């Protein structure tokens, strides 16, 4: 395997990490909740794709149109019923997401009885090559979806009034209220968007992996590394952070040992926290916003 | 003159700590009313309670004939009540322009955003120059102007200012007070002003209230209170 090949493998892997991270990062940046159940939302997206296949015979690339809105609704409900009532105690919210992780995993386990499903797709497994480099359609789609999502989310946050109100809430909740922004509703919508993005990741990952209730755990550690590396709450951070983690993993896996990938995530984690605690793309000073008088 | 804001026997505080203990006051349309008092007596808490950021534990607040007591803060703005919080509280990572746009976020003023932008930039030409700059990089005086302009973007009937002179040099302070006078004159807004610079505030105000220990200790016309020996001794270091 030559360097170019490893580069491509790393970037495509980065696409997966980036796509899983982008919703996690949005939720963290705006609501300041570390959503431990994010991987389970990805898992729900995967099972959603399976359900669409099993009942309607849909290809996952079409099921996206159903599963992503469904996860948006799931996110809204979760935020309203579980997280919003705990708004005065942010630590409790974090515990609640952990509880949600356990409930979702076990609910899916109970329903599926642990059977490992796979979701077939007519196009996902197709590979094409340029020279020695082989690329699978499923992974390329993820990379492109991440790129499109990152651009769209960035424009949404920068250009639209709703996006600006979300950024305002991120920076100063009280001032945002004084502008007439409904902070609670902004949180709910943001959680919905973050969940929908997790759902998108899940659907697009479904042709690649055999589904299991605990599969979210495969991505979530790397996703946390991406969030810390790229910068809390930064869209560009999730994108480029994902790429960097993917590349490091690919190169280290080739030159050192693939078994070391978790050690490498944590190494990245530590180095970033020491050298640049705001992450590569984080707003310097933004990490303090969450600790300022909030309500 | 018609009564615009009535605060009746309002109590409020944080958690178990009461701060206001039965405050009654009012503001009439077109007035400039000052609230003065020592540090920590509850001046900011009074404004936060009126805007709904803090919910009162007792009493009643009426604005323009509507009971706004206990309404969430984001709904109260739409009634025409805007506040410039202590320190301005701009969205420091966003541009001046974005801050101003957000000032008009509430549904009643959103349609008029372009018109309002034009007006506040006429009022504060420096903001036009600085519109693409991050609000966090403005000077202290510019920040205060931007915060006032942002509040005006909601086209308020009443503007409440929490220590607009905070952290400003004497020269800048004069300028900000001039600007407030200009806003009062040109925009037909009623003003409720909190100040530590008691002399300046009383000079500008039609009427004033003194808060002590969470209750109104004294009230009267600004000019009269300016020459009140007790007030001079307690708040003006004379
Ligand atoms: N968020 C809060 N939580 C708990 N206590 C608070 C909070 N904000 C203010 N206080 C307390 O309430 C009291 C009144 O505070 P407030 O900010 O209203 O005073 P102030 O008159 O505006 O003072 P200053 O002139 O220093 O701004 C103070 O004792 C303060 O410590
Ligand atoms: Mg104060």
């Amino acid at each position: 395997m030559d360097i170019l090949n490893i580069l491509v493998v790393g970037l495509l892997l980065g696409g997966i990490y980036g796509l899983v991270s982008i919703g996690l990062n949005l939720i963290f940046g705006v609501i300041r909740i570390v959503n431990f159940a994010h991987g389970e939302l990805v898992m729900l997206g995967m099972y959603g794709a399976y359900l669409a296949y099993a009942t309607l015979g849909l290809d996952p690339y079409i099921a996206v149109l159903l599963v992503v809105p469904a996860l948006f609704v799931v996110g809204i409900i979760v935020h309203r019923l579980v997280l919003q009532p705990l708004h005065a105690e942010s630590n409790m919210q974090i515990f609640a997401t952990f509880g949600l992780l356990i409930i979702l995993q076990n609910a899916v386990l109970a329903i599926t009885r642990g059977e490992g499903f796979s979701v077939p797709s007519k196009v996902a497994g197709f590979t094409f090559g340029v020279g020695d480099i082989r690329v699978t359609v499923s992974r390329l789609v993820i990379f492109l979806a991440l790129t499109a999502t990152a651009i769209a989310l960035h424009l949404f946050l920068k250009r639209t009034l709703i996006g600006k109100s979300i950024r305002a809430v991120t920076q100063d909740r009280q001032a945002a209220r004084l502008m007439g922004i409904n902070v609670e509703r902004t949180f709910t919508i943001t959680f919905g968007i973050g969940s929908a993005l997790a759902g998108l990741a899940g659907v697009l990952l479904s042709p690649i992996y055999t589904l299991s209730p605990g599969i979210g755990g495969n991505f979530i550690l790397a996703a946390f590394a991406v969030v810390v590396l790229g910068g809390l709450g930064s869209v560009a951070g999730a994108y480029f952070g994902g790429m960097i983690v993917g590349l490091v993993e690919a190169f280290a896996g080739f030159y050192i040992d693939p078994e070391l990938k978790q050690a490498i995530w944590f190494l990245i984690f530590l180095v970033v926290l020491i050298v640049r605690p705001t992450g590569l793309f984080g707003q310097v000073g933004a990490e303090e916003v969450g600790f300022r008088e909030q309500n | 003159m018609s009564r615009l804001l009535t605060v009746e026997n309002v109590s409020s505080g944080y958690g178990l700590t009461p701060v206001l203990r039965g405050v009654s006051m009012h503001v009439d349309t077109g007035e400039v009313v000052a609230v003065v008092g020592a540090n920590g007596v509850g001046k900011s808490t009074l404004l936060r309670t009126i805007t709904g950021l803090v919910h009162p534990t007792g009493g009643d607040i009426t604005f323009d004939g509507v009971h706004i007591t206990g309404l969430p803060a984001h709904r109260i703005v739409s009634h025409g009540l805007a506040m410039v919080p202590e320190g301005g509280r701009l969205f420091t990572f966003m541009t001046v322009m974005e801050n101003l746009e957000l000032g008009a976020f509430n549904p009643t003023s959103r349609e008029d955003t372009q018109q309002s932008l034009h007006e506040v930039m006429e009022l504060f030409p420096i903001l036009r120059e600085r519109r693409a700059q991050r609000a966090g990089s403005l000077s202290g005086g510019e920040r205060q102007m931007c915060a006032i302009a942002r509040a005006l973007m909601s086209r308020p009937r009443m503007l409440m200012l929490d220590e607009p002179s905070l952290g400003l040099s004497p020269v800048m302070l004069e300028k900000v007070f001039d600007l407030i006078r200009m806003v009062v004159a040109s925009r037909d807004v009623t003003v409720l002003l909190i100040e530590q610079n008691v002399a300046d505030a009383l000079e500008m105000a039609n009427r004033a209230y003194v808060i002590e220990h969470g209750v109104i200790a004294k009230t009267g016309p600004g000019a009269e209170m300016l020459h009140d020996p007790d007030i001079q001794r307690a708040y003006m270091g004379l």
Side-chain angles (χ1 to χ4, degrees):
Chain A
M1 218 161 37
D2 62 355
I3 289 196
L4 206 57
N5 221 330
I6 304 172
L7 198 71
V8 170
V9 167
L11 286 178
L12 293 177
L13 189 61
I16 293 179
Y17 294 153
L19 198 58
V20 174
S21 310
I22 201 162
L24 181 70
N25 207 5
L26 181 72
I27 290 171
F28 184 82
V30 178
I31 319 179
R32 304 270 149 180
I33 291 178
V34 179
N35 180 18
F36 282 110
H38 197 77
E40 280 52 49
L41 295 172
V42 174
M43 178 269 288
L44 284 187
M46 297 173 95
Y47 278 91
Y50 177 76
L51 197 65
Y53 160 73
T55 58
L56 303 171
L58 294 182
D59 194 280
Y61 296 121
I62 295 168
V64 158
L65 299 173
L66 297 176
V67 176
V68 171
L71 261 288
F72 178 75
V73 174
V74 168
I76 298 245
I77 293 171
V78 163
H79 189 260
R80 269 286 155 83
L81 294 187
V82 182
L83 300 173
Q84 190 132 299
L86 298 171
H87 73 99
E89 297 159 278
S90 43
N91 286 334
M92 280 307 173
Q93 290 183 320
I94 294 172
F95 286 124
T97 67
F98 199 74
L100 197 64
L101 172 156
I102 293 168
I103 290 170
L104 289 177
Q105 278 194 10
N106 285 291
V108 172
L109 183 64
I111 294 168
T112 63
R113 303 188 174 279
E115 194 185 332
F117 299 123
S118 49
V119 183
S121 162
K122 294 217 164 50
V123 282
F126 187 74
T127 62
F128 57 92
V130 185
D132 293 344
I133 304 164
R134 312 254 3 131
V135 176
T136 321
V137 165
S138 55
R139 287 180 186 252
L140 184 66
V141 166
I142 289 176
F143 183 85
L144 296 177
L146 169 65
T147 307
T149 305
I151 292 172
L153 190 59
H154 177 80
L155 291 177
F156 169 69
L157 291 172
K158 281 276 178 203
R159 300 278 169 83
T160 69
L161 191 61
I162 300 296
K164 288 174 192 175
S165 76
I166 291 178
R167 280 158 63 218
V169 167
T170 311
Q171 292 176 33
D172 191 331
R173 295 176 193 180
Q174 292 212 358
R177 286 182 207 283
L178 290 175
M179 305 296 107
I181 297 168
N182 185 338
V183 172
E184 286 69 29
R185 188 172 352 137
T186 306
F187 285 169
T188 304
I189 291 172
T190 304
F191 201 88
I193 297 173
S195 305
L197 293 174
L200 175 66
V203 180
L204 298 184
L205 286 167
S206 67
I208 304 179
Y209 294 87
T210 301
L211 277 52
S212 71
I215 195 162
N218 290 8
F219 315 108
I220 207 65
L221 264 182
F224 277 118
V226 169
V227 167
V228 170
L229 172 67
L232 308 176
S234 157
V235 174
Y239 187 83
F240 294 107
M243 295 304 143
I244 293 171
V245 172
L247 284 172
V248 170
E249 188 178 319
F251 277 96
F254 184 72
Y255 288 107
I256 310 170
D257 184 350
E259 293 298 308
L260 282 178
K261 69 178 180 190
Q262 302 209 351
I264 287 157
W265 296 336
F266 281 111
L267 199 65
I268 292 175
F269 219 86
L270 285 177
V271 170
V272 172
L273 287 177
I274 292 165
V275 177
R276 193 178 151 90
T278 51
L280 297 177
F281 296 86
Q283 183 77 57
V284 175
E287 76 280 11
E288 286 167 12
V289 170
F291 301 109
R292 205 157 73 198
E293 177 190 22
Q294 290 280 20
N295 254 309
Chain B
M1 264 196 232
S2 64
R3 189 73 24 121
L4 189 57
L5 174 76
T6 316
V7 174
E8 245 178 86
N9 200 22
V10 162
S11 302
S12 127
Y14 308 90
L16 293 174
T17 335
V19 176
L20 302 181
R21 296 176 293 133
V23 168
S24 297
M25 56 153 324
H26 68 269
V27 180
D28 289 335
T29 307
E31 275 191 310
V32 175
V33 170
V35 175
V36 299
N39 283 115
V41 293
K43 303 182 300 293
S44 298
T45 304
L46 174 62
L47 289 201
R48 307 239 282 272
T49 308
I50 296 171
T51 48
L53 288 177
V54 177
H55 290 302
T57 49
D60 194 30
I61 303 168
T62 317
F63 182 72
D64 200 19
V66 182
H67 291 277
I68 56 169
T69 328
L71 279 187
H74 69 263
R75 299 260 311 275
I76 290 180
V77 215
S78 319
H79 287 91
L81 198 56
M83 166 159 112
V84 180
E86 207 169 319
R89 298 283 282 261
L90 290 175
F91 302 114
T92 45
F93 304 144
M94 298 170 87
T95 65
V96 167
M97 190 66 163
E98 288 172 327
N99 270 275
L100 296 177
E101 281 171 9
L102 286 165
F105 185 86
N106 85 81
T108 49
S109 53
R110 197 178 296 175
E111 285 173 15
D112 300 323
T113 304
Q114 289 313 317
Q115 172 69 16
S116 307
L117 271 176
H118 182 75
E119 286 172 20
V120 299
M121 287 187 171
E122 290 289 296
L123 212 52
F124 305 104
I126 185 80
L127 295 181
R128 194 189 298 277
E129 271 169 52
R130 299 267 184 265
R131 64 179 180 272
Q133 197 171 318
R134 267 186 358 134
S137 65
L138 294 175
S139 76
E142 289 165 352
R143 243 182 245 208
Q144 201 51 253
M145 283 183 226
C146 187
I148 295 173
R150 184 179 69 174
L152 289 176
M153 289 294 296
S154 70
R155 307 187 145 264
R157 314 266 309 282
M158 182 162 131
L159 184 64
M160 306 201 288
L161 299 142
D162 192 347
E163 297 198 32
S165 67
L166 192 77
L168 297 184
S169 67
V171 179
M172 211 52 234
L173 181 154
E174 273 311 313
K175 221 170 144 188
V176 167
F177 268 83
D178 284 344
L179 285 170
I180 296 170
R181 283 193 192 91
M182 193 168 83
V183 168
V184 172
S186 67
R187 290 294 298 261
D188 183 30
V189 285
T190 302
V191 170
L192 179 58
L193 172 72
I194 286 186
E195 258 309 325
Q196 299 250 6
N197 283 289
V198 176
D200 285 302
L202 293 181
E203 207 173 305
M204 179 154 86
N206 303 104
R207 286 189 306 113
Y209 292 91
V210 178
I211 300 195
E212 272 172 22
H213 311 299
V215 294
I216 301 290
K218 212 167 222 175
T219 178
E224 210 168 278
M225 297 185 74
L226 196 56
H227 299 105
D228 182 323
D230 287 346
I231 291 180
Q232 288 182 340
R233 201 172 325 112
Y235 299 110
M236 289 149 71
L238 295 180

